[in-house]
Amino acid sequence: MTRQTKRSEELFRRSLDSMIEGGSSPSRGPANYGDYPLFMERAEGAHIFDVDGNRYLDWMMSYGALPLGHAHAEVVAAIQQAAAEGTHFASATEIEIEVAELLQKMIPGAERVRFANTGTEATMAAIRLARGYTGRPKFVKFEGQYHGWFDDFLVNSHPHPIASLGHRNDPVKIPDSSGLNRHALDDTILLPWNDMTAVERAFETWGGQIAAVITEGVIANMGVIPPAPGYLKAVRQLTRQHDTLLILDETVTGCRVAPGGCQEYYEVHADIVTLGKGLGAGLPVAAFVGRAQVMEALAWGGVLHYGTQNASRIGMHAARANLECLLRDDGAAIKHTWRIGEALCNGLSEIFERTSTPAIVQHVGPMLQILFTEKRTIGDYREFCSFVDRDRYRRFALALFEHGVYMTPSAALHSVASLAHTDDDVAFTLEAVDKVLSSAG
Ligand code: PMP
């Protein structure tokens, strides 16, 4: 197979005079892609095409933003119509209520809804809301979880050498960026995840000062790491005992793991839930939803959340089309993504075993990640940092590009099945994986 990526290379060189690393986020640049990223041009269903005309089966799906796949006909029609009527009014609109009502149907405890544009905005507002509502300064954030690029939680979201992490009873806070507000992390209590004793200890120490615990239901930015049985419920119980709010960050898992996300799947009820990615079908739509009593604190800007672009008309119309498709036929689309996810994971596990490759695949429904490791499971951030060979994964994912399969080249991110993926796509992927592993030796 002779894949040419000359035009991507040319565009990358050209971009360097106007942009940083060829794009608008470091995760799209050489840090993950090597010498230069692929420049993508168009996409349809489960496939994406680069500027050199190469076709790839896409398991990245815009970092999970496309549960229906690319250019789903109903979403495209909704966007076209909304655009022709005026892109955005920045005023109250009926479509906003309709999307809010759909979310109320889907998401347990979504008594009130507020729209934002990105997952970062939603989580940032949720933390402010929790602090404003409770009058308490601190919040708990877990190692290895990413909630966006806001200063207060931009800590230990990247993998680091295990020796730099400190003792798990008192994790060392490693900021993920320069330039953070010097005091931003003072009220951030960093804890290991899937470790109830650590949460209990934090409440014994700081009890009445903790406004919120923020957690993903499934870690989606350190491979895929599911919660230990009963863990989320235990966190819920403890937070309730201390009048602390539970913020469930469902930016990735919302509209994906189940119509009601991890709340439904793991039977846990949060006070505030944040949504992004899968909500807008590729348009920047995010939301935070929750108990009316808590959300009321936003009234009159008491806890301030502004945004010119909030609930943009095009985004809202795309979201309505997206949610209607996801809810149709008793959630058939989500069930399809589970079936495809399971088939892919089973096939991958079979190949790893047959070829004696030191790799495992971890998944929850449609979300999955391949981890090159000698371990049988990776249960938290520290295990990920200690035992996962990230370079090997990156070489593997880049080699898959050669065979027309596009998975994230970052071992810390994940792949995801969409409504557009088929059994043939699974077979195509497994064949490519087989070829890559047999040629890598
Ligand atoms: N929370 C989680 C769990 C995420 O995975 C992400 C994005 N990867 C965010 C929040 C931030 O979302 P956004 O990129 O839309 O700001």
Side-chain angles (χ1 to χ4, degrees):
M1 193 172 296
T2 50
R3 189 180 64 116
Q4 293 285 337
T5 54
K6 203 163 162 291
R7 177 111 177 92
S8 273
E9 187 172 6
E10 283 166 7
L11 286 177
F12 181 64
R13 304 265 160 259
R14 177 177 148 205
S15 78
L16 294 178
D17 287 335
S18 58
M19 306 197 71
I20 309 302
E21 294 182 327
S24 298
S25 161
S27 54
R28 302 178 193 175
N32 282 336
Y33 287 83
D35 293 341
Y36 54 91
L38 294 174
F39 281 69
M40 295 300 183
E41 195 164 55
R42 67 189 175 86
E44 196 185 337
H47 291 93
I48 190 161
F49 299 80
D50 71 15
V51 287
D52 289 277
N54 299 302
R55 180 176 113 132
Y56 306 88
L57 180 60
D58 184 3
W59 292 105
M60 229 169 92
M61 285 290 153
S62 296
Y63 297 111
L66 303 164
L68 304 177
H70 292 283
H72 186 278
E74 289 178 51
V75 174
V76 172
I79 291 171
Q80 283 173 335
Q81 192 180 333
E85 292 165 354
T87 50
H88 186 39
F89 307 149
S91 69
T93 56
E94 188 171 346
I95 182 72
E96 237 170 299
I97 309 174
E98 286 183 32
V99 181
E101 287 170 350
L102 281 168
L103 289 178
Q104 285 181 321
K105 250 196 238 170
M106 290 172 76
I107 317 273
E111 293 172 356
R112 295 289 182 274
V113 175
R114 174 60 74 94
F115 291 106
N117 299 283
T118 64
T120 304
E121 288 179 21
T123 48
M124 186 162 74
I127 291 289
R128 179 180 294 172
L129 179 56
R131 284 172 163 158
Y133 175 77
T134 60
R136 300 174 179 183
K138 296 189 182 293
F139 71 92
V140 168
K141 188 261 175 195
F142 294 100
E143 289 179 318
Q145 301 207 359
Y146 176 72
H147 302 295
W149 49 274
F150 173 48
D151 289 18
D152 293 23
F153 42 61
L154 204 54
V155 61
N156 295 61
S157 320
H158 294 150
H160 295 289
I162 186 75
S164 62
L165 304 181
H167 194 279
R168 58 187 299 124
N169 287 354
D170 184 22
V172 172
K173 291 182 193 171
I174 307 176
D176 294 315
S177 172
S178 295
L180 300 192
N181 175 328
R182 214 158 275 281
H183 302 291
L185 299 172
D186 289 358
D187 285 323
T188 307
I189 301 167
L190 182 70
L191 299 179
W193 199 58
N194 262 344
D195 177 349
M196 207 45 219
T197 312
V199 187
E200 282 160 5
R201 191 180 304 111
F203 273 95
E204 275 161 28
T205 311
W206 286 291
Q209 292 188 60
I210 306 177
V213 170
I214 184 167
T215 183
E216 296 181 66
V218 174
I219 300 191
N221 296 282
M222 206 50 59
V224 170
I225 304 181
Y231 175 71
L232 293 176
K233 277 189 178 168
V235 172
R236 170 68 284 190
Q237 207 180 347
L238 192 63
T239 48
R240 205 167 267 141
Q241 279 164 16
H242 288 267
D243 293 325
T244 292
L245 300 186
L246 178 63
I247 303 172
L248 196 61
D249 181 359
E250 299 232 46
T251 303
V252 173
T253 49
C255 315
R256 188 176 324 278
V257 163
C262 286
Q263 285 199 108
E264 179 180 334
Y265 187 60
Y266 294 111
E267 296 176 338
V268 59
H269 295 286
D271 299 292
I272 306 173
V273 173
T274 58
L275 301 161
K277 309 240 189 210
L279 178 53
L283 271 84
V285 180
F288 52 108
V289 307
R291 277 169 48 204
Q293 197 187 356
V294 175
M295 298 291 285
E296 282 299 332
L298 295 165
W300 295 94
V303 173
L304 191 66
H305 170 243
Y306 277 157
T308 302
Q309 305 291 349
N310 290 352
S312 82
R313 280 192 78 250
I314 298 186
M316 288 294 104
H317 280 271
R320 180 177 63 183
N322 181 42
L323 296 182
E324 282 174 354
C325 287
L326 291 174
L327 285 172
R328 194 171 291 152
D329 301 330
D330 194 24
I334 292 180
K335 287 179 191 150
H336 173 85
T337 65
W338 268 77
R339 198 178 62 68
I340 294 291
E342 301 268 355
L344 183 58
C345 291
N346 290 341
L348 289 168
S349 300
E350 187 276 317
I351 294 175
F352 298 149
E353 205 159 304
R354 173 162 47 76
T355 56
S356 305
T357 304
I360 56 172
V361 54
Q362 294 201 167
H363 82 120
V364 174
M367 303 161 52
L368 62 117
Q369 181 55 303
I370 294 164
L371 303 168
F372 283 91
T373 178
E374 302 282 350
K375 293 273 168 194
R376 295 186 68 84
T377 57
I378 293 297
D380 68 14
Y381 171 69
R382 287 169 181 251
E383 289 186 359
F384 184 95
C385 294
S386 306
F387 302 121
V388 173
D389 187 340
R390 304 199 306 277
D391 285 340
R392 179 154 184 201
Y393 173 79
R394 195 162 72 93
R395 290 196 302 277
F396 164 81
L398 294 179
L400 280 178
F401 288 7
E402 297 295 333
H403 297 273
V405 173
Y406 188 65
M407 277 188 181
T408 171
S410 163
L413 297 175
H414 66 281
S415 291
V416 64
S418 77
L419 176 64
H421 289 100
T422 65
D423 290 316
D424 285 349
D425 294 333
V426 171
F428 180 86
T429 306
L430 295 177
E431 205 176 305
V433 168
D434 233 340
K435 282 183 196 151
V436 167
L437 291 179
S438 45
S439 64

